[in-house]
Amino acid sequence: MSHSHNDIQPAFPAPEPDGSMAGPWSHTVRRENGELRVGGVKVSQLVAAYGTPLYVIDEEDFRTRARRWVVAMNTSFADLAGARVFYACKALMSVGIARWVLEDGLALDTCSEGEFVTALAAGAKGHDIGLHGNNKSEREIMMALEHNISHMVVDSMAELRLVERIAENLGKRANIVLRVTAGVHAGGHEFISTAHEDQKFGLSIQAGQAWEAAQATVASPHLELVGLHSHIGSQILSVDAFSVAAQAVLDLRACIHNELACTVPELDLGGGYGIRYTGADATPPEPEAYAELLATVVRAHGEKTGIAHPLVSIEPGRSIVGPAGLTLYTVGTTKNVQLDDTHSRRYVSVDGGMSDNIRPALYDAQYTVAVANREARGEGTLSRVVGKHCESGDIVVHNVELPADVTAGDILATPATGAYGRVMASNYNMLSRPGVVAVHDGSSRVLIRRETVADQLALDADYQA
Ligand SMILES: *Cc1c(COP(=O)(O)O)cnc(C)c1O
């Protein structure tokens, strides 16, 4: 949903944390004696120990969500050919996070050398790792083959040929999952079904590219067709979109079975499960609902065609780490702008902004925010939380009702910033990227330390200390 930046309404205060898994706050967030606690740690303690801006990941919330996907999928697919959950590392990655994910029984979806090396550093073995990307480097492909990874998701015919050549040189057989486009695009509540595919990802089923790639994979002595993959979008709140896409990919799998005498073992249905960012967002479907729906589609297709059921994989990212994270900021300056005769907007500036959360500027993403360090009093005031960058689009929260007494030195918390925050952070205006801290059971520890100006200058070849 897109709001004009100059909308006067709607503005609601952030919902109070309620201990639920429905978001936007992680489920251990509580307000006690006026102050927010997360993972049993007071925000004032976090700010004193680590400074702001700060990304805080609620370990228990993250791991509860991760395990919930595993249990939901294992339960729904128990009488079929089983399921696997890959955590989409791009949403937030560190060695510590990859360790949680592995301990909780998930595999890791990587899409670059950096994510791959981090997965290995966390102790992942080849069979725990998938590799994505529409333009993998030769080095990334070699690395994947040398570690005998679970599968490589191949995006185009050109890439298939490249992988084949590298596999042949290394004397390996590459496990290939073909990423296909099923003509389903989703995001939010709506999805569209189109035959025409005008995007960089995937081999079109409709245009015959998927079929051609399947034939080439089956025919090659250096390639093994282990799966078909479909990823239909992000922040999807409609279960039906997944069902339509799964159906299309199962139909392709049936054609491959019937005409190429190959029963593709795995079906990977991607990620994109939506979360709640603000109080205005609907509660998203639960993992159990998605798992049951996907199992129903797969079961019915198997009964209709008589073909052996596939192992079904999914790749959630945001739905695991998004609600598990919040960002803490310190308030600096404030000012009022008169919008018309009756309305004014309070601009509340914080010590971060588009360098730690680009999503409002990039996608017009909506967030909410609450005063975290104290019970705020004073009448609700239409407010806009903005950053400290040299850019008027540097907005953290477009419209929120904040108490009129918010002032310099207050701590603000933005919920649901665990996904696509730190990983999309930049050094714009040479701000140093904030650290990531995990909280659990009353204690905190650093997952990724705060960057310093010295870190930035260390890359500057002309800098002399
Ligand atoms: C981005 C992406 C994901 C994860 O998406 P979320 O919205 O974070 O769940 C999974 N698979 C693929 C192929 C992706 O590109």
Side-chain angles (χ1 to χ4, degrees):
M1 202 182 337
S2 161
H3 306 279
S4 155
H5 291 187
N6 296 319
D7 277 355
I8 295 172
Q9 297 294 341
F12 302 103
E16 273 301 298
D18 60 4
S20 81
M21 295 290 290
W25 300 99
S26 68
H27 78 276
T28 75
V29 178
R30 296 283 185 288
R31 193 180 285 279
E32 274 177 34
N33 301 322
E35 183 177 350
L36 289 189
R37 285 175 184 252
V38 52
V41 186
K42 290 184 193 171
V43 294
S44 58
Q45 283 176 344
L46 293 169
V47 171
Y50 307 106
T52 57
L54 183 69
Y55 301 107
V56 182
I57 303 294
D58 181 341
E59 177 178 349
E60 188 182 309
D61 188 84
F62 179 105
R63 300 184 73 161
T64 301
R65 288 176 202 280
R67 286 192 288 252
R68 194 168 168 189
W69 275 115
V70 173
V71 170
M73 290 297 284
N74 285 347
T75 304
S76 292
F77 285 87
D79 65 330
L80 301 173
R84 277 189 98 181
V85 181
F86 286 78
Y87 170 65
C89 296
K90 71 177 189 200
L92 180 65
M93 182 59 159
S94 77
V95 171
I97 283 179
R99 282 191 187 135
W100 295 345
V101 166
L102 292 167
E103 279 172 21
D104 291 338
L106 290 82
L108 295 163
D109 240 327
T110 64
C111 62
S112 67
E113 182 183 350
E115 289 179 1
F116 195 100
V117 170
T118 306
L120 294 176
K125 301 288 177 253
H127 58 80
D128 301 315
I129 305 176
L131 180 66
H132 265 282
N134 65 302
N135 188 21
K136 299 173 193 71
S137 68
E138 293 201 13
R139 189 182 158 90
E140 286 163 344
I141 293 167
M142 278 169 62
M143 206 169 186
L145 292 173
E146 277 160 4
H147 285 88
N148 297 314
I149 67 163
S150 176
H151 61 234
M152 216 183 304
V153 182
V154 167
D155 224 83
S156 64
M157 203 61 197
E159 186 169 71
L160 191 70
R161 291 305 180 204
L162 178 62
V163 174
E164 183 182 34
R165 178 167 64 68
I166 295 172
E168 182 176 8
N169 289 344
L170 294 177
K172 297 269 190 184
R173 207 172 148 95
N175 286 341
I176 301 297
V177 167
L178 295 176
R179 177 166 180 170
V180 302
T181 52
V184 179
H185 301 273
H189 292 274
E190 301 295 322
F191 72 93
I192 50 166
S193 220
T194 59
H196 187 64
E197 294 289 350
D198 188 11
Q199 60 152 329
K200 73 171 184 171
F201 291 114
L203 296 145
S204 163
I205 295 179
Q206 180 71 21
Q209 294 166 340
W211 179 252
E212 190 194 343
Q215 278 183 312
T217 308
V218 170
S220 170
H222 311 291
L223 305 173
E224 179 80 27
L225 181 56
V226 300
L228 298 173
H229 178 282
S230 151
H231 174 78
I232 54 175
S234 271
Q235 183 57 15
I236 302 166
L237 295 163
S238 144
V239 289
D240 297 340
F242 288 96
S243 161
V244 172
Q247 197 73 44
V249 183
L250 282 163
D251 288 344
L252 173 65
R253 180 171 176 267
C255 286
I256 294 171
H257 171 90
N258 295 337
E259 296 185 34
L260 302 178
C262 168
T263 309
V264 181
E266 187 180 340
L267 189 69
D268 187 332
L269 295 170
Y273 310 95
I275 65 166
R276 194 162 163 242
Y277 281 98
T278 72
D281 293 343
T283 304
E286 308 208 319
E288 294 76 13
Y290 286 115
E292 255 323 287
L293 174 94
L294 296 178
T296 303
V297 172
V298 169
R299 185 178 295 111
H301 204 273
E303 280 165 7
K304 191 179 73 186
T305 60
I307 301 170
H309 296 303
L311 170 74
V312 173
S313 302
I314 56 164
E315 306 168 334
R318 182 196 318 261
S319 65
I320 293 174
V321 67
L326 57 81
T327 307
L328 298 177
Y329 299 102
T330 303
V331 174
T333 56
T334 58
K335 77 161 188 180
N336 289 317
V337 173
Q338 201 63 36
L339 301 174
D340 59 26
D341 289 348
T342 49
H343 297 90
S344 66
R345 187 187 329 267
R346 186 119 181 274
Y347 277 79
V348 178
S349 298
V350 295
D351 51 353
M354 65 193 298
S355 56
D356 60 76
N357 187 357
I358 190 67
R359 296 189 68 259
L362 193 59
Y363 309 125
D364 204 20
Q366 306 294 317
Y367 286 87
T368 190
V369 70
V371 179
N373 55 312
R374 64 183 174 95
E375 199 81 67
R377 297 172 214 289
E379 205 184 324
T381 307
L382 175 63
S383 303
R384 174 164 292 170
V385 177
V386 296
K388 62 178 283 156
H389 294 278
C390 306
E391 193 97 36
S392 55
D394 174 27
I395 294 169
V396 178
V397 178
H398 289 100
N399 282 323
V400 65
E401 194 184 286
L402 281 175
D405 64 352
V406 171
T407 188
D410 273 334
I411 305 303
L412 298 186
T414 310
T417 53
Y420 307 109
R422 178 60 177 77
V423 292
M424 286 189 168
S426 76
N427 291 119
Y428 184 40
N429 293 135
M430 276 191 91
L431 262 67
S432 298
R433 289 172 298 174
V436 184
V437 164
V439 289
H440 182 59
D441 257 353
S443 59
S444 65
R445 74 182 182 87
V446 174
L447 293 175
I448 301 173
R449 84 160 161 79
R450 177 183 299 285
E451 202 174 38
T452 63
V453 174
D455 289 329
Q456 295 190 61
L457 284 173
L459 300 175
D460 187 325
D462 293 309
Y463 173 70
Q464 288 172 335

